[in-house]
Amino acid sequence: MKVRLPFITILLCLITISSIVNAQDFIVKGVVLEKGSNVRVALASITNLRTKTGVTSNDLGMFQLKAAIGDTLQIGKTYLNDQRILVLGRQDILIYMIRGSTTLNEVTILGSTKKQDLADIKRDFQSKGVFNGGKSSFLSAVFNPINGLYNLIGKDPKNARRFSRYADNEIKQSQIDVYFNPSIIKNNTELRGDTLEKYMIDYRPEFQKAQYWNSYDYIKYIKESSKKFIDTLGKGK
């Protein structure tokens, strides 16, 4: 004897299964752009309103965040109007933000990054005849002996070598700043004000450890280390 389930029962089962599947978290990827100019927006804050976790976009305006279908993402940037996006599927998301009407016309948002600024200074050294960061390779010393001698004893080459060391360190620290910054820490902890500043100084990750981290590694580190930091403050009272 065949048992026929009512149509409404089958429909409810399908809806339940669909809800379970859709509720599963996955990695949503996206790009934040300024509407009208298509300029990529760096360091925009993206927060999942359901999980209360957030990240910031990188120098190319790109981000990755854990979400589920139906979640709402809130995107914010100082000079742009806040935007909310509903996650409808696993496809990549393009987010267009509109410049705020209260922004003064004379305010110019410069597109240069710290890396570009450092590159400009390096080019300035090169324009003075200082090549290879103030270091002469064997072949350059052979084919350009005057430049090789200048790189060895000149004042600018010495400054170039010093700047090269500084630039390398700044680039490494900039990589950490993309994810270890007040915006992301506030999105994932209760730290504020002086306590936040002290935490950022005491628990700033070392580049040797953080150079291979992604946004989720940083968030995990922030949550775990901030808990240790708060516990330490409690013991110090």
Side-chain angles (χ1 to χ4, degrees), residues 52-63:
K52 306 301 182 184
T53 58
V55 297
T56 57
S57 56
N58 62 18
D59 289 344
L60 298 177
M62 302 171 68
F63 70 90

Side-chain angles (χ1 to χ4, degrees), residues 28-34 38-46 55-65 73 75-77 79-80 92-97 111 113 178-179:
V28 61
K29 300 178 182 179
V31 180
V32 184
L33 307 120
E34 183 179 341
N38 284 338
V39 172
R40 298 194 176 206
V41 180
L43 298 180
S45 63
I46 301 95
V55 297
T56 57
S57 56
N58 62 18
D59 289 344
L60 298 177
M62 302 171 68
F63 70 90
Q64 297 182 28
L65 181 63
L73 307 183
I75 302 91
K77 179 69 179 179
Y79 58 93
L80 300 171
D92 293 350
I93 299 175
L94 289 178
I95 300 170
Y96 291 94
M97 303 189 73
T113 63
V178 171
Y179 295 109

Side-chain angles (χ1 to χ4, degrees), residues 23-236:
Q24 293 178 348
D25 287 348
F26 59 93
I27 305 303
V28 61
K29 300 178 182 179
V31 180
V32 184
L33 307 120
E34 183 179 341
K35 190 171 184 179
S37 65
N38 284 338
V39 172
R40 298 194 176 206
V41 180
L43 298 180
S45 63
I46 301 95
T47 305
N48 186 324
L49 297 182
R50 175 180 64 88
T51 63
K52 306 301 182 184
T53 58
V55 297
T56 57
S57 56
N58 62 18
D59 289 344
L60 298 177
M62 302 171 68
F63 70 90
Q64 297 182 28
L65 181 63
K66 186 176 290 187
I69 294 173
D71 285 355
T72 299
L73 307 183
Q74 179 163 312
I75 302 91
K77 179 69 179 179
T78 304
Y79 58 93
L80 300 171
N81 291 332
D82 286 356
Q83 179 74 282
R84 287 193 176 189
I85 296 293
L86 184 65
V87 178
L88 299 175
R90 295 173 178 266
Q91 65 272 20
D92 293 350
I93 299 175
L94 289 178
I95 300 170
Y96 291 94
M97 303 189 73
I98 300 173
R99 185 175 290 269
S101 57
T102 58
T103 304
L104 299 178
N105 291 332
E106 60 267 24
V107 176
T108 303
I109 306 300
L110 300 179
S112 62
T113 63
K114 182 179 287 187
K115 289 182 181 180
Q116 290 172 326
D117 293 337
L118 296 173
D120 289 340
I121 299 175
K122 281 187 175 181
R123 281 194 293 271
D124 183 55
F125 277 118
Q126 289 177 340
S127 69
K128 295 179 181 179
V130 182
F131 302 99
N132 195 28
K135 299 177 183 179
S136 294
S137 66
F138 175 77
L139 290 179
S140 67
V142 171
F143 292 104
N144 297 284
I146 295 178
N147 184 68
L149 180 62
Y150 181 61
N151 280 342
L152 287 174
I153 64 176
K155 180 180 179 180
D156 280 330
K158 182 178 179 180
N159 290 336
R161 288 191 292 271
R162 185 180 302 154
F163 169 76
S164 182
R165 291 192 295 270
Y166 164 79
D168 289 342
N169 181 65
E170 283 298 297
I171 290 173
K172 290 176 180 178
Q173 296 307 315
S174 295
Q175 182 175 325
I176 295 174
D177 289 338
V178 171
Y179 295 109
F180 194 78
N181 59 60
S183 178
I184 288 184
I185 295 172
K186 286 180 180 179
N187 280 339
N188 294 281
T189 72
E190 299 298 324
L191 298 175
R192 300 292 185 273
D194 294 341
T195 308
L196 171 62
E197 292 181 8
K198 179 173 174 54
Y199 163 73
M200 292 188 66
I201 294 172
D202 293 350
Y203 284 84
R204 184 176 181 83
E206 298 178 358
F207 178 77
Q208 287 75 11
K209 295 181 179 178
Q211 59 181 318
Y212 301 114
W213 289 358
N214 56 32
S215 59
Y216 305 103
D217 294 323
Y218 271 99
I219 291 174
K220 180 181 178 182
Y221 171 79
I222 288 169
K223 288 185 175 181
E224 292 178 351
S225 61
S226 63
K227 186 178 183 304
K228 292 180 182 177
F229 173 72
I230 294 172
D231 291 344
T232 302
L233 289 179
K235 292 178 181 178

